[in-house]
Amino acid sequence: MAADDALTAPPPSPWQAITDNLNKLTQRQKLAGGVALAVAIALLVGMWLWSKQPDYAVLFSNLAEKDGGQIVAALQQQNVPYKVEAGGATILVPSERANELRLLMASQGLPKGGMVGFELMDTQKFGMSQFNEQVNYQRALEGELARTIQSIAAVGGARVHLAMPKQTAFLRDEQKPSASVVVTLRAGRRLEPQQVAGILHLVSSSVPDLSADQVSIIDQNGNLLTQKRDPRSPGLDPTQLEYVDEVEASYIKRIQTILEPVLGNGNFRAQVTADVDFDATEQTSETYKPNPNPNTAIRSQQTADNQTNQPPAMGVPGALSNQPPTPATAPLTTPPLPGQSQSAPVVLTQSRNATTNYELDKTVQHVKRSLGAVRRLSVAVVLNYKTGKDGKGNLQATPLTDAEMKKISDLVREAVGYSQARGDTINLANAAFAEAAKVEAPALPIWKDPEYVEYGREGARYLVMLLAALMVYFGVVRPLVRTVVPKPPEPVDAEPRIDVMVDDEEDETNLDDVPPEVLEAELAKMSFERKVERAREIVQKDPKIVAQMIKEWMGGGTSGEGR
């Protein structure tokens, strides 16, 4: 009856089975399982946090130590995660907040560029000496000028050094101030001549009595950007060389524009050498012709005629000539000559003067030659063979004909403004161009392609998370589940199952291994006759089992009767 009750008892619940299995574990097994489970949970949480770690972007770079400390302090106050790299010169923040934080730092006046401006004058202490005040003013002025220069797009950093001598009342001892500017240019950028001139005038206008000639500007490589040309030097300054390049490029562009529609792109090469005159010449000339011609206009003419009938003064100078005149007497008359009128005066003296003024033949010429005039051009053009098809349809390169060469020569002459009086020369050559080897840029490997690298990082992140989850499952969770959770019963047929258990060599061991609920289910499916038949077979094969069973029944029955 007890065996029948055991066979017919309901199976325990899964939770009861789990609890029983946990109670069967030793203390060491329980501790090891708890540690493994905690490690697995920590690993999963760590991988999840690592996958959620934000991408960092550069907030500021090339920072001074003082600016870096102030920015880090501001980020800590706002609980913003950050990273410091490049020895503290670069600060990184989450990429989605980089722009917002830049604006926020700018509102706080950060970074200051490692220099101070006129805010230094706000902390003046009472009783400061005049020397310290002058030094602070100079530092503040240098800082403000450096900040202003840094506002130029091509300038990444700047430093200004001012040499301001002490003012004196003696003119003979007066010294002029000077300045030096060091600019750090951004990668791939350079200052144009106009920008250099602007910096010169900015610094010279900010300091009293500072001339632009006393300002020197150099870049981070030590190159002097304010080179002054020596008038005694015969060489050309960079501005003139740049102008020559522009003139030559302009002529080459003209040739390309006129020949490209005719010959096609890549079928010609042109070079132009321009002799540019940079001599500044001023000439004033005034010329006169040696003798006027008869047709010259008369400017003025004057004629004077003088006649007199009085004898000229005669006598001996002395006292007698100063005596008063004698009394008048009757004049002696002389009879007139035949044919002479008595009233006609006798001309004793006659003079005639004539003055004629002609217009001056004068030429005044003032000539001023401008700089940059082209004195001579040398043009060289090489033309490729024309490509055509022969009778078989194959491509064949043939030289240009003389008529075609002359046509192209005329086009080039007109394009560059050929002048024989100026001494220009044009040389055209026709030759087959060598085929340039097609050098294809090597394909960028996948592991170097930024796009694929980013995809690889994301995929590796999820792959590591998946591997970690699988390790936790197969290494920790699954063994614990197998140990604690009971196995579900396997559905089998009643008779084959009993046959297998009976036919085994060690029936006792097999019956003990069969769970009670499975054995009960198998027996419930068998008929009464089948049960009796199977019992007889078991008795015949192993009577010991039956004897042991009867002994247990009798012991149970005796104990029951005694009670």
Side-chain angles (χ1 to χ4, degrees):
M1 294 298 295
D4 294 339
D5 294 340
L7 293 175
T8 58
S13 63
W15 290 109
Q16 184 65 29
I18 293 175
T19 305
D20 295 340
N21 292 335
L22 287 175
N23 294 331
K24 291 179 182 179
L25 297 176
T26 63
Q27 189 68 21
R28 180 176 296 179
Q29 291 176 339
K30 293 180 180 179
L31 182 60
V35 171
L37 187 61
V39 171
I41 294 174
L43 181 61
L44 290 178
V45 172
M47 294 300 299
W48 182 78
L49 294 177
W50 174 71
S51 65
K52 295 298 181 181
Q53 187 177 9
D55 295 332
Y56 281 84
V58 176
L59 179 64
F60 293 110
S61 60
N62 298 326
L63 290 173
E65 294 181 356
K66 185 176 181 180
D67 287 339
Q70 294 178 354
I71 293 174
V72 167
L75 294 176
Q76 290 177 350
Q77 291 178 358
Q78 300 175 13
N79 296 326
V80 177
Y82 64 90
K83 291 182 180 179
V84 180
E85 295 181 354
T90 303
I91 297 179
L92 293 86
V93 295
S95 57
E96 64 272 8
R97 298 195 60 186
N99 297 329
E100 175 189 354
L101 292 174
R102 287 195 192 99
L103 297 177
L104 185 59
M105 294 296 109
S107 65
Q108 300 178 8
L110 296 175
K112 297 180 180 179
M115 62 192 69
V116 293
F118 279 113
E119 66 271 8
L120 183 64
M121 310 300 293
D122 298 337
T123 59
Q124 294 289 337
K125 298 181 180 179
F126 183 75
M128 182 178 292
S129 64
Q130 184 179 3
F131 174 77
N132 290 335
E133 290 181 354
Q134 182 64 25
V135 171
N136 288 340
Y137 172 75
Q138 182 172 340
R139 289 179 58 197
L141 185 58
E142 290 175 351
E144 292 294 338
L145 288 174
R147 291 177 182 176
T148 305
I149 295 173
Q150 286 181 1
S151 63
I152 301 176
V155 179
R159 294 196 65 182
V160 179
H161 303 277
L162 298 178
M164 302 174 64
K166 187 177 180 180
Q167 295 182 357
T168 178
F170 300 97
L171 295 178
R172 71 179 68 179
D173 298 333
E174 184 180 6
Q175 297 180 359
K176 296 295 183 181
S178 59
S180 300
V181 181
V182 181
V183 294
T184 302
L185 303 179
R186 301 185 186 276
R189 305 294 294 274
R190 69 184 185 92
L191 288 176
E192 300 294 336
Q194 297 83 356
Q195 293 175 321
V196 175
I199 296 175
L200 285 175
H201 289 282
L202 170 67
V203 177
S204 62
S205 301
S206 302
V207 180
D209 299 331
L210 178 59
S211 175
D213 297 335
Q214 300 299 324
V215 180
S216 300
I217 303 177
I218 63 175
D219 60 6
Q220 71 272 20
N221 298 322
N223 299 321
L224 183 62
L225 303 180
T226 55
Q227 295 180 354
K228 302 178 181 61
R229 182 189 176 194
D230 186 2
R232 297 170 296 179
S233 176
L236 300 178
D237 59 13
T239 305
Q240 294 176 349
L241 294 176
E242 185 178 355
Y243 176 76
V244 173
D245 293 339
E246 292 179 357
V247 171
E248 294 176 350
S250 174
Y251 283 109
I252 294 175
K253 184 65 176 177
R254 295 181 186 179
I255 297 174
Q256 291 178 349
T257 304
I258 198 67
L259 293 185
E260 193 169 301
V262 179
L263 302 177
N265 187 17
N267 289 326
F268 65 92
R269 294 289 186 272
Q271 289 294 328
V272 177
T273 302
D275 184 7
V276 182
D277 185 9
F278 290 103
D279 296 336
T281 304
E282 291 187 7
Q283 181 181 358
T284 302
S285 61
E286 185 174 351
T287 58
Y288 297 89
K289 291 184 178 180
N291 295 315
N293 54 27
N295 297 327
T296 303
I298 298 176
R299 181 176 185 182
S300 63
Q301 187 175 10
Q302 183 178 2
T303 304
D305 241 341
N306 295 327
Q307 294 181 359
T308 179
N309 54 2
Q310 296 294 330
M314 293 183 299
V316 179
L320 296 177
S321 62
N322 296 329
Q323 296 297 323
T326 58
T329 58
L332 298 177
T333 59
T334 302
L337 295 176
Q340 183 178 2
S341 173
Q342 295 181 356
S343 61
V346 179
V347 177
L348 300 178
T349 304
Q350 183 178 5
S351 62
R352 182 182 179 86
N353 296 326
T355 302
T356 303
N357 295 324
Y358 294 95
E359 288 291 347
L360 296 178
D361 191 356
K362 173 184 176 181
T363 302
V364 179
Q365 184 178 11
H366 181 78
V367 179
K368 182 178 180 180
R369 297 179 180 176
S370 60
L371 297 176
V374 178
R375 290 185 295 195
R376 185 172 178 271
L377 285 178
S378 299
V379 182
V381 181
V382 58
L383 308 174
N384 189 18
Y385 281 0
K386 62 181 179 180
T387 304
K389 293 184 179 181
D390 55 7
K392 299 181 180 179
N394 299 324
L395 293 178
Q396 183 180 6
T398 57
L400 300 176
T401 62
D402 294 340
E404 292 173 339
M405 293 289 292
K406 185 177 184 307
K407 183 189 301 183
I408 296 174
S409 177
D410 294 340
L411 291 176
V412 173
R413 287 172 181 268
E414 296 298 331
V416 300
Y418 174 80
S419 175
Q420 185 177 3
R422 194 170 55 185
D424 296 348
T425 58
I426 296 179
N427 187 7
L428 271 70
N430 187 209
F433 285 4
E435 294 184 0
K438 296 182 179 179
V439 180
E440 297 182 358
L444 192 65
I446 297 179
W447 58 86
K448 291 184 179 180
D449 192 343
E451 184 177 0
Y452 288 103
V453 168
E454 187 64 24
Y455 290 155
R457 289 178 179 175
E458 292 294 330
R461 177 180 301 180
Y462 291 110
L463 180 61
V464 170
M465 292 181 60
L466 179 61
L467 292 178
L470 293 177
M471 290 175 60
V472 170
Y473 176 75
F474 288 104
V476 178
V477 177
R478 188 176 181 182
L480 289 177
V481 171
R482 285 186 174 181
T483 304
V484 176
V485 178
K487 297 181 180 179
E490 298 180 359
V492 293
D493 294 337
E495 293 184 1
R497 180 64 180 172
I498 297 297
D499 293 341
V500 172
M501 292 190 297
V502 174
D503 293 339
D504 289 341
E505 295 180 357
E506 298 180 356
D507 295 333
E508 182 180 359
T509 305
N510 291 338
L511 291 174
D512 294 338
D513 293 341
V514 178
E517 59 273 10
V518 176
L519 183 58
E520 182 181 359
E522 295 294 338
L523 294 174
K525 296 178 181 179
M526 298 174 62
S527 62
F528 178 76
E529 292 79 5
R530 183 62 177 168
K531 290 179 182 180
V532 173
E533 183 180 356
R534 297 303 299 172
R536 290 176 181 175
E537 293 177 357
I538 294 173
V539 170
Q540 292 177 1
K541 290 183 178 180
D542 196 352
K544 294 181 180 181
I545 296 177
V546 178
Q548 182 67 25
M549 185 180 301
I550 295 173
K551 186 183 295 185
E552 290 179 358
W553 287 351
M554 292 177 66
T558 303
S559 61
E561 293 175 357
R563 287 192 298 268

